[in-house]
Amino acid sequence: MDLFIAHQIVFPLAPGRISVPPASVDYAVPVTFSFFSREERYSLRSDSLAIVVLPLPAAGRPAGDRGVVGQGLTLDLRIEPAETRVGEPLEVAATVTGVGNVALWPEPVLRWPVGFRSYPAQTEVRLAPAQGRIAGSKTFRFLAVPDSAGSFVLPDVRYDYFDVAAGRYQAAAAALRVLAVAVGGEPRAARALPPLLPRR
């Protein structure tokens, strides 16, 4: 006897009652062991299944909740280089890791100090199923360019979500960072300029 099991993981996106349609399979069985034996064909069909999706609880919901659901989420914030000059970009990578619908996780909100301009870069999703559940990480990359010199504070970053295992709202956090920006270098020509023409 051979046993085949097909797994599918689905994420409901709205509360309510969901009806899962029945699954079906068609197969054939040879009448004899002869290579030219005819086959008898069969079809099997399962029952449909109803699922009730509950809304997220209102108690303890943080302000500005974006409906992120997961389990054991962590937030890692990397800024390179740690020191820069005016007009030179910083490469920022914010990585959210945990169990859940990784592809739909929104980007963390970074509150840049006054004098910084940020530009979104590429987003990378890595899936790593764990014990039959969808898990992995999602990395959001940015470029931040300072307009002035000095010491700046990037406030701590909070990533609020509903933890399905704990049954309550939690937050993954990254500590505040101090950014040192030096005065920019003098602009120089890429190559030596030719001499000026003599006045006639």
Side-chain angles (χ1 to χ4, degrees), residues 7-191:
H7 291 274
Q8 283 188 331
I9 299 176
V10 295
F11 293 93
L13 301 180
R17 184 180 178 88
I18 299 177
S19 179
V20 179
S24 61
V25 61
D26 297 325
Y27 67 98
V29 177
V31 177
T32 66
F33 291 103
S34 172
F35 181 78
F36 299 100
S37 173
R38 64 182 182 86
E39 296 179 335
E40 294 184 354
R41 298 185 176 276
Y42 300 91
S43 178
L44 294 177
R45 186 180 179 90
S46 71
D47 295 331
S48 60
L49 181 65
I51 299 176
V52 177
V53 180
L54 301 177
L56 295 177
R61 177 176 294 174
D65 175 59
R66 294 184 290 173
V68 180
V69 179
Q71 181 179 344
L73 299 191
T74 60
L75 175 63
D76 178 64
L77 184 64
R78 296 182 181 273
I79 302 177
E80 295 180 357
E83 299 180 358
T84 187
R85 294 179 178 272
V86 174
E88 296 181 0
L90 293 169
E91 295 184 0
V92 183
T95 302
V96 181
T97 306
V99 178
N101 194 349
V102 181
L104 292 186
W105 288 344
E107 68 182 38
V109 178
L110 278 66
R111 296 166 292 167
W112 289 102
V114 177
F116 276 76
R117 292 169 291 136
S118 64
Y119 305 93
Q122 72 272 17
T123 301
E124 181 182 4
V125 176
R126 292 186 177 181
L127 297 180
Q131 299 179 352
R133 298 179 299 172
I134 294 296
S137 63
K138 190 173 186 178
T139 301
F140 306 88
R141 302 185 188 278
F142 309 88
L143 291 178
V145 182
D147 291 335
S148 56
S151 180
F152 300 89
V153 175
L154 176 64
D156 60 321
V157 183
R158 287 176 53 90
Y159 199 78
D160 296 312
Y161 71 99
F162 182 79
D163 194 299
V164 294
R168 63 178 181 271
Y169 291 95
Q170 296 186 352
L176 62 84
R177 305 291 178 89
V178 177
L179 308 175
V181 181
V183 177
E186 293 293 332
R188 297 180 180 179
R191 59 182 179 178

